[in-house]
Amino acid sequence: MTLKTPILVINSGSSSLKFSLFSGASETTNDTELLSGLAERLGTPEAVLTWQDASGKQRQSLEGEGHEAALAAIGKRLNADYGTPAAIGHRVVHGGEAFSQSVVIDDAVIDGIDACASLAPLHNPPALLGIKALQSLYPEVPQVAVFDTAFHQTLAPAAFLYAVPKDWYTELGVRRYGFHGTSHRYVAGQAVAQLQLDPNDHGVISAHLGNGCSATAVRNGRAVDTTMGLTPLEGLVMGTRSGDVDPGLHAYLADRLELSLDDINEALNRQSGLLGLSGLSNDMRTLIEAADTGNNDARLAIDVFCFRLARKIGGLAMSLSRLDALVFTGGIGENAAVIRSQVLGHLSLLGFDCDEAANLKPGEHARITRPDSTAALVIPTREEWMIAQDTRRLTEVL
Ligand code: ADP
């Protein structure tokens, strides 16, 4: 039996850094997670590193340290217990049009990620910070970038172009990119495998519903439409993001409330969505509990969330030639049975008929609709695992 050396997966954000280590016992065994952890509040006096492995949970203060020190502490711990990783995979939010798949990182890739930073100013710079810090820590270890946008690069111009002056696209890259691509790729692939669909003739819609929410139509393994756009603000109602609004809203608010564009952007990204509508919380679990005890604003926030999602799923279906399955994933999609039921209730026109008992407790086959219904499935997403798989595949041949 060949032992697989571990793959380190890094998701580096502006003030936090998630990491996981994956390994498997043989070439034919799927990688399993050996360790996962989080460095958070980086750059503040409360900076802290927590991780969990088979020996339990551990915690280490980082006292004001930033990304580099956090990665050095993670590296020290890995070296002591697991040895040097075979390769390192990074989640990178924006790959623009330059990256349609995961790639081994070299200087040109670093320049490419940097060039996309203006499209994702909060996300790409910390990813680059993580890549460069790990290049210094492990100069011999190959690194791979896995992009949130890459899976959506198969969208046709009719689906990705906005109807705005053409120069905005050609000069500035203004178009729809889509995000959560790694999650959509994984769950759509799982649905095809679970339902034994024809790889060359299927239609799947995946709904990734976490704090950020997006849905994607997948035809024969390729993304053909998605709800997020130039930025992750477009589309569905999310925890604190509005999703679609009339673009005329900006001018109206600027005029009536004398808000700057930054203020409006901040309000649409951080004070809207479930939080804005309910005035209570961005957390779906809290809203479901509140709605159950008679909070009307929580109820209304849930109703808008479900109706918008159903309406978008209806739109996405128009880019498919057949609809075999709808997949729910993400914290809400995987856990909130009442949301799934309400969304499916809106979708009877597409042939959905929820099996309420299965929906309350999705079994091994993940199916939550009746036998004569279009299939709806609940499939837990595995973004980090996908990053580890891409990283192993691309670096094993090096
Ligand atoms: P992120 O996008 O940050 O990774 P998650 O995928 O963990 O977020 O999803 C977070 C959302 O999932 C929150 O709105 C949370 O309330 C919701 N959620 C998690 N568990 C449940 C549950 N049991 N019932 C309803 N909502 C849940």
Side-chain angles (χ1 to χ4, degrees):
M1 187 167 68
T2 326
L3 277 179
K4 279 188 185 177
T5 43
I7 303 282
L8 176 62
V9 173
I10 298 286
N11 181 352
S12 180
S14 53
S15 65
S16 69
L17 198 155
K18 280 194 212 161
F19 59 98
S20 332
L21 193 69
F22 288 86
S23 186
S26 78
E27 303 299 338
T28 53
T29 309
N30 273 338
D31 282 272
T32 53
E33 194 174 63
L34 296 172
L35 168 137
S36 67
L38 175 69
E40 55 189 328
R41 299 193 283 279
L42 293 172
T44 76
E46 293 83 39
V48 64
L49 172 63
T50 48
W51 68 87
Q52 176 147 31
D53 62 9
S55 59
K57 272 191 177 170
Q58 298 183 52
R59 190 173 199 282
Q60 176 183 337
S61 170
L62 292 171
E63 284 173 4
E65 300 285 8
H67 290 69
E68 285 92 346
L71 286 165
I74 294 164
K76 203 166 154 192
R77 153 123 190 112
L78 295 183
N79 288 346
D81 289 356
Y82 300 96
T84 304
I88 301 168
H90 292 266
R91 174 187 180 220
V92 180
V93 166
H94 220 306
E97 290 188 333
F99 300 104
S100 55
Q101 50 197 337
S102 304
V103 288
V104 176
I105 296 173
D106 59 17
D107 288 348
V109 169
I110 288 183
D111 289 347
I113 296 171
D114 196 28
C116 298
S118 60
L119 291 166
L122 298 179
H123 293 103
N124 276 23
L128 277 176
L129 205 65
I131 290 167
K132 288 177 182 167
L134 283 164
Q135 281 183 328
S136 324
L137 269 177
Y138 297 110
E140 306 300 328
V141 176
Q143 302 197 45
V144 167
V146 179
F147 300 91
D148 264 31
T149 48
F151 184 56
H152 304 297
Q153 278 297 300
T154 46
L155 263 63
F160 75 65
L161 283 174
Y162 293 112
V164 294
K166 208 168 83 188
D167 291 357
W168 295 3
Y169 169 54
T170 51
E171 304 293 319
L172 301 170
V174 172
R175 52 159 283 179
R176 308 181 64 248
Y177 290 96
F179 299 87
H180 292 140
T182 310
S183 177
H184 291 298
R185 175 162 59 107
Y186 173 72
V187 298
Q190 287 293 307
V192 172
Q194 266 167 248
L195 296 172
Q196 299 183 323
L197 303 177
D198 181 344
N200 299 314
D201 186 19
H202 65 257
V204 173
I205 294 175
S206 52
H208 177 108
L209 311 174
N211 277 310
C213 300
S214 68
T216 295
V218 180
R219 184 159 81 200
N220 308 341
R222 292 157 67 89
V224 286
D225 196 7
T226 192
T227 58
M228 282 180 168
L230 175 72
T231 74
L233 186 55
E234 187 176 334
L236 305 176
V237 175
M238 312 182 208
T240 62
R241 294 188 205 131
S242 60
D244 288 356
V245 291
D246 183 337
L249 177 66
H250 293 68
Y252 181 75
L253 287 177
D255 180 42
R256 295 300 300 268
L257 299 178
E258 296 187 8
L259 292 179
S260 69
L261 273 182
D262 277 353
D263 293 337
I264 297 168
N265 202 32
E266 172 77 10
L268 293 177
N269 274 288
R270 297 192 194 281
Q271 294 149 28
S272 299
L274 294 173
L275 173 65
L277 279 168
S278 69
L280 176 68
S281 174
N282 64 323
D283 191 288
M284 186 57 95
R285 206 170 351 187
T286 305
L287 296 184
I288 293 170
E289 283 163 15
D292 282 349
T293 53
N295 183 317
N296 286 334
D297 288 338
R299 176 80 266 151
L300 205 57
I302 291 171
D303 289 349
V304 177
F305 180 93
C306 293
F307 179 72
R308 174 84 60 88
L309 174 55
R311 177 209 263 172
K312 290 288 180 183
I313 289 169
L316 290 171
M318 295 306 105
S319 57
L320 301 174
S321 46
R322 51 182 293 154
L323 179 55
D324 295 293
L326 167 64
V327 187
F328 290 97
T329 194
I332 297 171
E334 291 165 31
N335 298 297
V338 291
I339 302 298
R340 296 192 299 256
S341 169
Q342 193 168 333
V343 172
L344 291 174
H346 285 300
L347 291 172
S348 52
L349 198 61
L350 294 181
F352 288 101
D353 186 4
C354 185
D355 177 336
E356 296 297 343
N359 182 40
L360 280 179
K361 206 168 181 303
E364 193 192 337
H365 300 296
R367 190 177 165 122
I368 58 167
T369 41
R370 295 181 189 283
D372 53 354
S373 160
T374 312
L377 309 175
V378 178
I379 300 179
T381 193
R382 294 178 79 189
E383 288 167 287
E384 278 80 12
W385 180 84
M386 278 295 269
I387 295 173
Q389 297 304 295
D390 281 8
T391 302
R392 194 179 287 291
R393 178 175 48 81
L394 288 171
T395 56
E396 251 169 4
V397 291
L398 291 181

